[in-house]
Amino acid sequence: SDLPNSGRLGNNLQSQIVLMKYEDRLPSRKIITTLNREYPLGLTAATILDVLRRAAHHLKPAYKKIKQEIRTSTRLHADETGSRIEGKKHWLWLFLTKTSVLFLFRKRREGKVISEILGEHYEGILTVDGLKAYQTIVEKIQRCWAHLLRDAKFLAQKHEGQARVLYNSLCELFEQIKHQTISYEKALSQMKMFLGISQAYQELRKIAVLLENGLEHWFTCLLYSDVEPTNNRAEQHLREFVIQRRIYSTFRSETGPKNAAILMSVLATWRLRKLNPFSMLRQNLSS
């Protein structure tokens, strides 16, 4: 029962290769060098790709289940970052709950991807950065305060004066939001005041647009106590791919990203659920 369905590499070794790729961030040549040094395996780059393909095939059912869990969740975080596939710009999308992580690669950063994953009328609450496409699909949104404060801090350091006053005021408001010591109505009233001030100063016009575009979405967390005011959790999960992107530079085929999305999603989900990735991989490859 421990024998693989095909090929000469056992399930333990296949699991190890997957983890070396996506947990240890090793490029294929490093995996080959390390394993061939320890064991007389004669591994090649084609072998590594085949192992990753097989593992992704076995984990497809788990990936589909994660997709369904994302769509039916009432609380979500989402984010996206650029990636290159065969030298062309693509996007890696992330959708995240407290127990599930979903990655997928798509050619564009548009609403079609959101409706593909969440359906046409998602009724839960989505925490995001600022992509307008989310607002065409989702009604209840929490905009990320971490992004807003970073932009305000940049302006404060560049211009000082009124920009510094605005940044300090936003920081004070954020502390009140974070500790739930202010009402939705009062917070919204303060934000409208900040918006009016920002519109009156040339150096603050850009952040004024940011404040206005998200005006009804900055304080959703005050109406629902289990909603976070930042999108930091999504950014933390994207950071792993950003590091790997620096190592691998680009995908050289269309199938590579599909397999990577499956493997990254399932491994990240297992980590969230405090499951042992090696044991779970071995179990899935044996089934």
Side-chain angles (χ1 to χ4, degrees):
S1 61
D2 287 341
L3 291 176
N5 293 329
S6 61
R8 64 189 182 91
L9 304 183
N11 295 326
N12 285 336
L13 183 55
Q14 291 188 63
S15 300
Q16 191 67 19
I17 288 171
V18 172
L19 293 177
M20 291 174 80
K21 181 74 171 180
Y22 290 105
E23 297 278 313
D24 302 335
R25 305 169 183 161
L26 295 179
S28 295
R29 61 182 178 80
K30 288 285 187 180
I31 298 173
I32 293 167
T33 301
T34 302
L35 292 177
N36 282 343
R37 184 172 59 218
E38 294 289 329
Y39 315 103
L41 295 170
L43 296 176
T44 65
T47 309
I48 300 301
L49 289 175
D50 190 53
V51 167
L52 298 176
R53 177 191 60 77
R54 279 192 239 165
H57 174 73
H58 279 279
L59 293 178
K60 268 185 182 179
Y63 185 69
K64 288 180 180 178
K65 190 174 180 181
I66 291 171
K67 266 189 176 181
Q68 186 60 32
E69 290 166 354
I70 292 293
R71 178 173 284 217
T72 57
S73 173
T74 59
R75 301 290 185 270
L76 272 180
H77 291 255
D79 206 351
E80 62 286 332
T81 188
S83 178
R84 301 201 75 81
I85 299 175
E86 295 182 315
K88 296 180 181 179
K89 183 70 175 283
H90 285 64
W91 294 90
L92 173 69
W93 291 75
L94 163 70
F95 295 88
L96 169 72
T97 73
K98 288 184 177 180
T99 57
S100 299
V101 184
L102 179 71
F103 291 103
L104 60 150
F105 291 90
R106 292 294 182 268
K107 291 182 179 180
R108 292 181 175 81
R109 193 180 180 215
E110 60 185 9
K112 287 182 180 179
V113 181
I114 303 165
S115 58
E116 172 195 344
I117 301 303
L118 303 183
E120 293 296 335
H121 304 286
Y122 178 70
E123 295 182 356
I125 300 174
L126 184 63
T127 302
V128 294
D129 297 341
L131 183 63
K132 284 187 177 180
Y134 289 111
Q135 298 180 32
T136 64
I137 307 297
V138 183
E139 181 180 343
K140 296 176 184 176
I141 287 177
Q142 171 62 51
R143 288 285 295 272
C144 178
W145 270 81
H147 277 72
L148 175 60
L149 293 178
R150 279 200 292 268
D151 288 350
K153 184 178 182 180
F154 172 79
L155 290 176
Q157 292 171 338
K158 184 177 180 180
H159 299 290
E160 291 296 336
Q162 191 61 44
R164 176 66 64 181
V165 173
L166 175 64
Y167 171 62
N168 291 338
S169 299
L170 287 172
C171 286
E172 291 176 12
L173 180 56
F174 176 65
E175 286 300 313
Q176 292 176 297
I177 293 167
K178 192 165 60 173
H179 298 293
Q180 300 276 315
T181 57
I182 189 172
S183 69
Y184 177 90
E185 291 76 15
K186 188 173 181 181
L188 183 60
S189 176
Q190 284 194 32
M191 187 63 90
K192 287 179 179 178
M193 180 181 68
F194 298 155
L195 173 59
I197 295 171
S198 301
Q199 290 171 334
Y201 291 84
Q202 182 64 37
E203 65 270 22
L204 299 180
R205 295 279 172 82
K206 189 173 181 180
I207 201 166
V209 173
L210 179 62
L211 295 177
E212 187 171 26
N213 286 345
L215 191 58
E216 60 185 285
H217 301 306
W218 292 117
F219 309 109
T220 305
C221 57
L222 292 175
L223 300 176
Y224 303 90
S225 60
D226 59 338
V227 173
E228 299 173 29
T230 73
N231 204 24
N232 290 343
R233 290 208 308 125
E235 287 194 356
Q236 288 166 6
H237 278 81
L238 270 185
R239 193 171 297 134
E240 176 63 31
F241 172 76
V242 171
I243 294 171
Q244 293 190 30
R245 183 176 61 192
R246 293 172 185 165
I247 298 171
Y248 307 139
S249 177
T250 185
F251 289 100
R252 293 182 174 84
S253 71
E254 290 286 344
T255 56
K258 292 178 183 177
N259 294 336
I262 293 171
L263 294 170
M264 289 192 304
S265 298
V266 177
L267 289 173
T269 297
W270 286 340
R271 284 198 303 272
L272 263 187
R273 298 176 184 181
K274 302 190 185 306
L275 298 172
N276 185 299
F278 181 79
S279 298
M280 295 300 295
L281 267 173
R282 195 178 179 285
Q283 178 183 324
N284 278 269
L285 290 172
S286 299
S287 62

